[in-house]
Amino acid sequence: MFGTIHIVDDDASFRTALERRLKKAGYDVATYPSAQRLLDLLPDDDGPGCILLDVRIPGLSGPELQTRLTELGSSLPIIFLTGYADVATTVKTIKAGAQDFLTKPVASEQLLGAIERAMAHHEIALGARQKLNGFRAQLDTLTPREHQVFELVVQGKINKQIAQRLGTTERTIKAHRHKVMEKMGVQSLAELVSIAERLGVLHPFSEGRLG
């Protein structure tokens, strides 16, 4: 499993040595002398990758960059590398979502193992995000009326109740329901409810949306 490793460290010789080591292992590598430089170039997180981040760097620190990337919605996993490990910083960064925290000098085997785990984690996250985007795209194909039926169906309402709520016939609701299932690519109510939960649209039906 290969991808791009983003190295953020103010030590030029360390960046070069690490870049050489990782390229030899088959990874693409991008290097940044500061946290701000990475923010300026903000790497794409649509493909497998991770960030190797020094804790103590001039300007924006490693943990501060971690916070900024979270705010920007980046999904790239972060592995911290530091020559000055302390428990408080380790706990803080791990709690904030860091994938790992390694102390320099780090053995190749330990580093590559951490990177492989980070890459695997990111690949799973990317797969989940792509699936979610697919569900959103399917949801967008529903007509306003189908969307209303969708909301009521996932709340467990039967056709008769939905027909009464929307002021139409059970036969019409049955047709809408069939269309909803077809467009969302599901075979069962359980699948539809699962998608609604993942999309965050499983909420009480609003009478104001009936128009």
Side-chain angles (χ1 to χ4, degrees):
M1 183 198 307
F2 296 113
T4 303
I5 313 295
H6 303 273
I7 303 170
V8 185
D9 199 297
D10 62 312
D11 184 334
S13 60
F14 179 77
R15 286 198 312 273
T16 301
L18 201 53
E19 180 179 12
R20 191 178 298 124
R21 201 193 309 185
L22 294 174
K23 281 186 173 178
K24 188 177 179 181
Y27 292 104
D28 291 326
V29 181
T31 63
Y32 312 83
S34 68
Q36 189 56 55
R37 184 64 177 157
L38 180 134
L39 285 175
D40 291 342
L41 298 173
L42 200 61
D44 186 359
D45 63 353
D46 286 337
C50 73
I51 298 172
L52 297 183
L53 179 56
D54 192 14
V55 173
R56 298 186 182 183
I57 36 181
L60 207 63
S61 73
E64 286 169 340
L65 174 60
Q66 180 187 25
T67 300
R68 287 288 294 119
L69 288 171
T70 299
E71 291 169 353
L72 292 168
S74 172
S75 68
L76 285 171
I78 295 173
I79 297 171
F80 278 97
L81 293 171
T82 182
Y84 311 93
D86 69 85
V87 175
T89 303
T90 303
V91 171
K92 180 183 176 184
T93 55
I94 295 295
K95 277 188 173 180
Q99 185 72 29
D100 217 328
F101 199 104
L102 306 176
T103 305
K104 299 175 184 175
V106 58
S108 289
E109 188 177 325
Q110 184 185 17
L111 178 63
L112 293 174
I115 288 172
E116 283 175 17
R117 289 191 297 275
M119 289 287 197
H121 178 84
H122 192 223
E123 192 169 50
I124 291 169
L126 285 177
R129 187 169 71 183
Q130 287 165 0
K131 201 161 190 177
L132 206 56
N133 287 339
F135 290 149
R136 287 196 185 102
Q138 289 170 310
L139 192 64
D140 286 342
T141 67
L142 301 185
T143 65
R145 179 59 91 187
E146 287 167 355
H147 207 293
Q148 291 173 338
V149 171
F150 168 80
E151 288 193 358
L152 289 166
V153 165
V154 296
Q155 287 178 48
K157 305 297 183 188
I158 61 174
N159 291 347
K160 183 177 180 180
Q161 292 171 313
I162 298 172
Q164 289 173 344
R165 184 75 68 90
L166 299 182
T168 187
T169 65
E170 282 186 62
R171 185 176 179 178
T172 299
I173 294 304
K174 190 175 181 181
H176 284 314
R177 189 170 182 149
H178 177 74
K179 234 6 184 175
V180 168
M181 302 284 276
E182 190 178 72
K183 287 184 176 181
M184 295 305 295
V186 298
Q187 301 294 322
S188 68
L189 174 60
E191 287 179 274
L192 199 64
V193 171
S194 175
I195 289 173
E197 286 178 335
R198 291 174 69 175
L199 290 173
V201 295
L202 195 57
H203 49 73
F205 186 77
S206 168
E207 295 290 348
R209 296 184 62 179
L210 287 177

